[in-house]
Amino acid sequence: GIFLAKYLSENKFPKKILATFLICPPFADTLIGEDLVGGFKLKSDLSLLEKNSKNLYLMFSEDDNVVPVSHAEKYRNKLKNANIIIYKSKNGHFRISRFPEIVKIIKELK
């Protein structure tokens, strides 16, 4: 998730993206002993991420044991128009075989 957030926040995409879905993207390395971001670091200005995508969704789970839900607030502070959705439980780090909520959003996009 952080790779796509970084790419779209630093590069103008040649076409308007209808929607971008980032599922529990780490904002930064905050867990000792864990490399959440794979060497990627976000710049302070993420506004191009919102400009590149007509609909931006960031989804987190309160019971995620890999990417803490506190990362949602860090994104919220940088992305004023993003749809940030926090689920009570998605079986930890979105260890789910079905995700009907995202399917519903995709079907409703215009």
Side-chain angles (χ1 to χ4, degrees):
I2 193 170
F3 170 81
L4 190 55
K6 180 173 176 57
Y7 182 84
L8 291 177
S9 67
E10 296 179 7
N11 299 279
K12 178 125 176 70
F13 205 72
K15 295 185 179 190
K16 189 69 168 182
I17 300 167
L18 178 59
T20 301
F21 294 87
L22 301 176
I23 310 301
C24 54
F27 186 84
D29 265 336
T30 57
L31 294 181
I32 297 170
E34 288 286 331
D35 181 13
L36 291 178
V37 298
F40 295 104
K41 292 188 183 202
L42 296 172
K43 293 189 175 181
S44 61
D45 182 5
L46 301 181
S47 61
L48 189 56
L49 176 56
E50 290 181 307
K51 290 177 185 168
N52 274 324
S53 187
K54 184 176 176 185
N55 300 284
L56 177 60
Y57 295 88
L58 288 87
M59 300 172 166
F60 296 87
S61 179
E62 289 180 1
D63 67 347
D64 192 329
N65 60 346
V66 178
V67 178
V69 75
S70 61
H71 287 229
E73 287 307 312
K74 294 175 183 182
Y75 277 105
R76 190 182 314 274
N77 291 333
K78 298 284 184 178
L79 301 168
K80 302 305 177 196
N81 298 312
N83 299 291
I84 297 178
I85 302 168
I86 300 173
Y87 297 99
K88 183 171 178 75
S89 176
K90 283 295 175 195
N91 197 24
H93 189 61
F94 284 77
R95 288 184 299 258
I96 54 177
S97 59
R98 300 184 54 137
F99 198 172
E101 299 92 342
I102 200 169
V103 172
K104 182 176 187 256
I105 294 170
I106 292 169
K107 287 181 177 181
E108 292 173 350
L109 287 173
K110 294 180 183 190

